[in-house]
Amino acid sequence: MNKEKLRFSHIGIPTADRELPIYAEGIKVHLNNFADEAYNVEWLRFEPGSPLPEILKTTAHVAYEVDDLDEALQGEKVIVAPFEGGPNLTCAFIEADGYAVELMKRG
């Protein structure tokens, strides 16, 4: 991926003890809206049985916006296929050098 095409969005940090306002039932995770946080931190509290990869449950991830998600995923180790992350937002996760990266496309 050409890093000039990446725009920082947020960092996601797993937590075990925060009360979080949003619940994503399909993936069994409680989270907050990172855009409401001073430093764009997305807190994630996973419930037992969450289908997301262990790497997302146990380590922080960094997220970037891209103009072309298909192009950004080419040649990468995709660990979560593209999914609707909200209105006009498509997200996917890759593994790069042992850590998770979220790639997001608006529109």
Side-chain angles (χ1 to χ4, degrees), residues 3 8-10 12 17 22-23 27 30 36 48 55 64 67 70 75 89-90 93 95-97 99 104 106:
K3 68 181 179 180
F8 176 77
S9 172
H10 66 274
D17 57 1
I22 302 167
Y23 180 63
I27 55 174
H30 300 263
D36 294 338
I55 193 170
Y64 297 98
D67 292 328
D70 292 332
L89 181 67
T90 305
F93 285 89
E95 184 179 331
D97 296 323
Y99 61 92
M104 307 166 58
R106 295 200 182 273

Side-chain angles (χ1 to χ4, degrees), residues 1-13 34-35 37-42 60-67 89 99-106:
M1 178 70 209
N2 180 343
K3 68 181 179 180
E4 286 81 28
K5 295 184 177 186
L6 300 174
R7 294 178 304 282
F8 176 77
S9 172
H10 66 274
I11 185 167
I13 303 174
F34 62 84
E37 298 287 326
Y39 299 102
N40 286 25
V41 175
E42 176 184 56
H61 72 269
V62 64
Y64 297 98
E65 287 193 32
V66 297
D67 292 328
L89 181 67
Y99 61 92
V101 176
E102 183 176 8
L103 299 173
M104 307 166 58
K105 163 92 171 75
R106 295 200 182 273

